[in-house]
Amino acid sequence: QEELVESGGGLVQTGGSLRLSCAASGLTFSRSTLGWFRQAPGKDSEFVAGLTNSGVTFYRESVKDRFTISRDRSTNTMYLQMNSLRPEDTAIYYCARDGADRGGRAPNWYDRWGQGTQVTVSS
């Protein structure tokens, strides 16, 4: 069975940092676009960061210069480094894969999803 398992969430103060990890089991990130999404209570899911197979990165405007998406091909793991965190970053964060490598922001383009990890930023 194919599975994405996230870790690294937690509670931090405003201005702090977290590094989220997403490890793949039974599948690889080869020839795929990788993405991070988040969802706060009562709000719609929103795109956070993306990384194409060729190494192109793209972010939602509110996290540019604060978050960095990356991958380690040797361990089949993707990451989201989150710096200068703000209370409005509080959400459940999900990793996802688009096996067609379309390099997009639309959640319906991603065919594999993690279970989510909670990030809480205190004011």
Side-chain angles (χ1 to χ4, degrees):
Q1 53 279 341
E2 299 180 339
E3 187 176 29
L4 300 178
V5 180
E6 296 169 315
S7 61
L11 173 64
V12 298
Q13 294 180 325
T14 297
S17 297
L18 285 173
R19 190 191 195 199
L20 306 184
S21 299
C22 176
S25 298
L27 56 80
T28 73
F29 294 141
S30 299
R31 300 174 297 279
S32 299
T33 294
L34 309 179
W36 288 93
F37 295 78
R38 67 188 183 188
Q39 186 168 28
K43 294 186 176 181
D44 293 333
S45 176
E46 62 184 19
F47 172 82
V48 177
L51 172 62
T52 71
N53 186 61
S54 63
V56 177
T57 60
F58 49 105
Y59 303 87
R60 69 178 297 106
E61 185 66 28
S62 63
V63 309
K64 288 180 179 178
D65 303 318
R66 298 192 297 123
F67 292 7
T68 303
I69 185 172
S70 63
R71 78 183 129 222
D72 185 337
R73 296 183 187 273
S74 68
T75 61
N76 214 30
T77 303
M78 59 185 290
Y79 303 94
L80 184 68
Q81 179 66 47
M82 309 165 66
N83 299 325
S84 301
L85 284 162
R86 307 164 180 168
E88 48 264 49
D89 295 318
T90 295
I92 300 175
Y93 283 70
Y94 300 88
C95 62
R97 180 209 72 175
D98 170 17
D101 193 29
R102 287 169 281 193
R105 301 166 180 258
N108 57 298
W109 282 11
Y110 291 78
D111 55 7
R112 291 291 186 275
W113 292 80
Q115 83 288 350
T117 185
Q118 178 70 49
V119 171
T120 303
V121 185
S122 62
S123 60

